[in-house]
PDB file of all heavy atoms in Angstrom:
ATOM      1  N   SER A  10      -6.722   1.452  -2.631  1.00 96.00           N
ATOM      2  CA  SER A  10      -6.112   2.234  -3.584  1.00 96.00           C
ATOM      3  C   SER A  10      -6.993   2.601  -4.786  1.00 96.00           C
ATOM      4  O   SER A  10      -7.127   3.730  -5.231  1.00 96.00           O
ATOM      5  CB  SER A  10      -4.807   1.547  -4.125  1.00 96.00           C
ATOM      6  OG  SER A  10      -3.837   1.303  -3.029  1.00 96.00           O
ATOM      7  N   ALA A  20      -1.362   8.717  -9.604  1.00 97.00           N
ATOM      8  CA  ALA A  20      -0.692   7.518 -10.179  1.00 97.00           C
ATOM      9  C   ALA A  20      -0.642   6.476  -8.950  1.00 97.00           C
ATOM     10  O   ALA A  20      -0.066   6.803  -7.864  1.00 97.00           O
ATOM     11  CB  ALA A  20       0.686   7.812 -10.694  1.00 97.00           C
ATOM     12  N   ILE A  21      -1.001   5.340  -9.204  1.00 97.00           N
ATOM     13  CA  ILE A  21      -0.844   4.191  -8.288  1.00 97.00           C
ATOM     14  C   ILE A  21       0.424   3.444  -8.645  1.00 97.00           C
ATOM     15  O   ILE A  21       0.567   2.795  -9.722  1.00 97.00           O
ATOM     16  CB  ILE A  21      -2.094   3.198  -8.218  1.00 97.00           C
ATOM     17  CG1 ILE A  21      -3.298   4.047  -7.758  1.00 97.00           C
ATOM     18  CG2 ILE A  21      -1.767   2.088  -7.243  1.00 97.00           C
ATOM     19  CD1 ILE A  21      -4.506   3.227  -7.795  1.00 97.00           C
ATOM     20  N   VAL A  22       1.327   3.318  -7.782  1.00 97.00           N
ATOM     21  CA  VAL A  22       2.598   2.595  -7.845  1.00 97.00           C
ATOM     22  C   VAL A  22       2.252   1.251  -7.058  1.00 97.00           C
ATOM     23  O   VAL A  22       2.178   1.371  -5.799  1.00 97.00           O
ATOM     24  CB  VAL A  22       3.917   3.281  -7.467  1.00 97.00           C
ATOM     25  CG1 VAL A  22       5.139   2.266  -7.577  1.00 97.00           C
ATOM     26  CG2 VAL A  22       4.000   4.438  -8.291  1.00 97.00           C
ATOM     27  N   GLU A  23       1.971   0.249  -7.593  1.00 96.00           N
ATOM     28  CA  GLU A  23       1.516  -1.084  -7.001  1.00 96.00           C
ATOM     29  C   GLU A  23       2.719  -2.093  -7.042  1.00 96.00           C
ATOM     30  O   GLU A  23       2.997  -2.494  -8.110  1.00 96.00           O
ATOM     31  CB  GLU A  23       0.218  -1.526  -7.678  1.00 96.00           C
ATOM     32  CG  GLU A  23      -0.287  -2.778  -7.032  1.00 96.00           C
ATOM     33  CD  GLU A  23      -1.498  -3.477  -7.881  1.00 96.00           C
ATOM     34  OE1 GLU A  23      -1.804  -2.814  -8.758  1.00 96.00           O
ATOM     35  OE2 GLU A  23      -1.780  -4.497  -7.338  1.00 96.00           O
ATOM     36  N   THR A  24       3.241  -2.470  -5.815  1.00 94.00           N
ATOM     37  CA  THR A  24       4.203  -3.429  -5.830  1.00 94.00           C
ATOM     38  C   THR A  24       3.823  -4.713  -6.365  1.00 94.00           C
ATOM     39  O   THR A  24       4.631  -5.465  -7.070  1.00 94.00           O
ATOM     40  CB  THR A  24       4.869  -3.623  -4.336  1.00 94.00           C
ATOM     41  OG1 THR A  24       3.721  -4.007  -3.471  1.00 94.00           O
ATOM     42  CG2 THR A  24       5.487  -2.562  -3.739  1.00 94.00           C
ATOM     43  N   PHE A  46      11.565  -2.732  -4.303  1.00 95.00           N
ATOM     44  CA  PHE A  46      11.266  -1.471  -3.684  1.00 95.00           C
ATOM     45  C   PHE A  46      12.270  -0.409  -4.181  1.00 95.00           C
ATOM     46  O   PHE A  46      11.889   0.763  -4.301  1.00 95.00           O
ATOM     47  CB  PHE A  46      11.450  -1.574  -2.087  1.00 95.00           C
ATOM     48  CG  PHE A  46      10.142  -2.112  -1.533  1.00 95.00           C
ATOM     49  CD1 PHE A  46       9.661  -3.329  -1.440  1.00 95.00           C
ATOM     50  CD2 PHE A  46       9.174  -1.150  -0.913  1.00 95.00           C
ATOM     51  CE1 PHE A  46       8.553  -3.782  -1.085  1.00 95.00           C
ATOM     52  CE2 PHE A  46       7.994  -1.508  -0.394  1.00 95.00           C
ATOM     53  CZ  PHE A  46       7.720  -2.855  -0.385  1.00 95.00           C
ATOM     54  N   CYS A  49      10.484   0.707  -7.170  1.00 96.00           N
ATOM     55  CA  CYS A  49       9.285   1.414  -6.852  1.00 96.00           C
ATOM     56  C   CYS A  49       9.607   2.896  -6.274  1.00 96.00           C
ATOM     57  O   CYS A  49       9.062   3.894  -6.689  1.00 96.00           O
ATOM     58  CB  CYS A  49       8.472   0.765  -5.746  1.00 96.00           C
ATOM     59  SG  CYS A  49       7.490  -0.655  -6.370  1.00 96.00           S
ATOM     60  N   HIS A  50      10.566   2.997  -5.473  1.00 97.00           N
ATOM     61  CA  HIS A  50      11.036   4.218  -4.881  1.00 97.00           C
ATOM     62  C   HIS A  50      11.575   5.218  -5.931  1.00 97.00           C
ATOM     63  O   HIS A  50      11.251   6.453  -5.866  1.00 97.00           O
ATOM     64  CB  HIS A  50      12.083   4.046  -3.768  1.00 97.00           C
ATOM     65  CG  HIS A  50      11.558   3.285  -2.581  1.00 97.00           C
ATOM     66  ND1 HIS A  50      12.264   2.647  -1.646  1.00 97.00           N
ATOM     67  CD2 HIS A  50      10.330   3.316  -2.036  1.00 97.00           C
ATOM     68  CE1 HIS A  50      11.591   2.213  -0.664  1.00 97.00           C
ATOM     69  NE2 HIS A  50      10.304   2.624  -0.880  1.00 97.00           N
ATOM     70  N   ILE A  53       8.571   6.487  -7.814  1.00 98.00           N
ATOM     71  CA  ILE A  53       7.760   7.463  -6.941  1.00 98.00           C
ATOM     72  C   ILE A  53       8.633   8.785  -6.921  1.00 98.00           C
ATOM     73  O   ILE A  53       7.926   9.856  -7.176  1.00 98.00           O
ATOM     74  CB  ILE A  53       7.718   6.885  -5.521  1.00 98.00           C
ATOM     75  CG1 ILE A  53       6.659   5.624  -5.531  1.00 98.00           C
ATOM     76  CG2 ILE A  53       7.115   7.961  -4.585  1.00 98.00           C
ATOM     77  CD1 ILE A  53       6.704   4.871  -4.333  1.00 98.00           C
ATOM     78  N   VAL A  63       1.070  10.555  -6.064  1.00 97.00           N
ATOM     79  CA  VAL A  63       1.203   9.175  -6.144  1.00 97.00           C
ATOM     80  C   VAL A  63       0.587   8.514  -4.847  1.00 97.00           C
ATOM     81  O   VAL A  63       0.620   8.980  -3.863  1.00 97.00           O
ATOM     82  CB  VAL A  63       2.838   8.832  -6.026  1.00 97.00           C
ATOM     83  CG1 VAL A  63       3.062   7.401  -5.985  1.00 97.00           C
ATOM     84  CG2 VAL A  63       3.445   9.506  -7.428  1.00 97.00           C
ATOM     85  N   LEU A  64       0.057   7.340  -5.076  1.00 97.00           N
ATOM     86  CA  LEU A  64      -0.399   6.459  -4.091  1.00 97.00           C
ATOM     87  C   LEU A  64       0.459   5.236  -4.117  1.00 97.00           C
ATOM     88  O   LEU A  64       0.481   4.499  -5.255  1.00 97.00           O
ATOM     89  CB  LEU A  64      -1.878   6.126  -4.253  1.00 97.00           C
ATOM     90  CG  LEU A  64      -2.506   5.366  -2.998  1.00 97.00           C
ATOM     91  CD1 LEU A  64      -3.915   5.633  -2.946  1.00 97.00           C
ATOM     92  CD2 LEU A  64      -2.235   3.867  -3.154  1.00 97.00           C
ATOM     93  N   PHE A  65       1.201   4.878  -3.100  1.00 97.00           N
ATOM     94  CA  PHE A  65       1.986   3.691  -3.131  1.00 97.00           C
ATOM     95  C   PHE A  65       1.256   2.580  -2.404  1.00 97.00           C
ATOM     96  O   PHE A  65       1.082   2.621  -1.277  1.00 97.00           O
ATOM     97  CB  PHE A  65       3.316   3.990  -2.283  1.00 97.00           C
ATOM     98  CG  PHE A  65       4.496   3.001  -2.349  1.00 97.00           C
ATOM     99  CD1 PHE A  65       4.462   2.150  -3.543  1.00 97.00           C
ATOM    100  CD2 PHE A  65       5.375   2.736  -1.490  1.00 97.00           C
ATOM    101  CE1 PHE A  65       5.450   1.236  -3.677  1.00 97.00           C
ATOM    102  CE2 PHE A  65       6.315   1.797  -1.584  1.00 97.00           C
ATOM    103  CZ  PHE A  65       6.368   1.044  -2.599  1.00 97.00           C
ATOM    104  N   ASP A  66       0.943   1.647  -3.364  1.00 96.00           N
ATOM    105  CA  ASP A  66       0.142   0.401  -2.792  1.00 96.00           C
ATOM    106  C   ASP A  66       1.150  -0.679  -2.512  1.00 96.00           C
ATOM    107  O   ASP A  66       1.733  -1.302  -3.458  1.00 96.00           O
ATOM    108  CB  ASP A  66      -0.762  -0.051  -3.951  1.00 96.00           C
ATOM    109  CG  ASP A  66      -1.479  -1.342  -3.564  1.00 96.00           C
ATOM    110  OD1 ASP A  66      -1.207  -2.004  -2.583  1.00 96.00           O
ATOM    111  OD2 ASP A  66      -2.438  -1.615  -4.387  1.00 96.00           O
ATOM    112  N   ALA A  67       1.617  -0.832  -1.225  1.00 95.00           N
ATOM    113  CA  ALA A  67       2.670  -1.690  -0.871  1.00 95.00           C
ATOM    114  C   ALA A  67       2.652  -2.179   0.504  1.00 95.00           C
ATOM    115  O   ALA A  67       1.849  -1.611   1.358  1.00 95.00           O
ATOM    116  CB  ALA A  67       3.916  -1.091  -1.098  1.00 95.00           C
ATOM    117  N   ASN A  69       4.528  -2.276   3.512  1.00 91.00           N
ATOM    118  CA  ASN A  69       5.706  -1.606   4.189  1.00 91.00           C
ATOM    119  C   ASN A  69       5.583  -1.970   5.603  1.00 91.00           C
ATOM    120  O   ASN A  69       5.005  -1.221   6.470  1.00 91.00           O
ATOM    121  CB  ASN A  69       5.610  -0.089   4.072  1.00 91.00           C
ATOM    122  CG  ASN A  69       6.181   0.352   2.677  1.00 91.00           C
ATOM    123  OD1 ASN A  69       7.314   0.203   2.491  1.00 91.00           O
ATOM    124  ND2 ASN A  69       5.171   0.902   1.954  1.00 91.00           N
ATOM    125  N   LEU A  78      10.520   6.462   2.045  1.00 96.00           N
ATOM    126  CA  LEU A  78       9.416   7.216   1.568  1.00 96.00           C
ATOM    127  C   LEU A  78       9.390   8.589   2.245  1.00 96.00           C
ATOM    128  O   LEU A  78       9.148   9.481   1.566  1.00 96.00           O
ATOM    129  CB  LEU A  78       8.151   6.419   1.842  1.00 96.00           C
ATOM    130  CG  LEU A  78       8.019   5.049   1.073  1.00 96.00           C
ATOM    131  CD1 LEU A  78       6.770   4.444   1.575  1.00 96.00           C
ATOM    132  CD2 LEU A  78       7.842   5.367  -0.450  1.00 96.00           C
TER     133      LEU A  78
END
Side-chain angles (χ1 to χ4, degrees):
S10 297
I21 297 176
V22 175
E23 180 187 355
T24 56
F46 276 78
C49 288
H50 291 155
I53 290 166
V63 176
L64 188 152
F65 188 32
D66 175 354
N69 277 292
L78 294 171

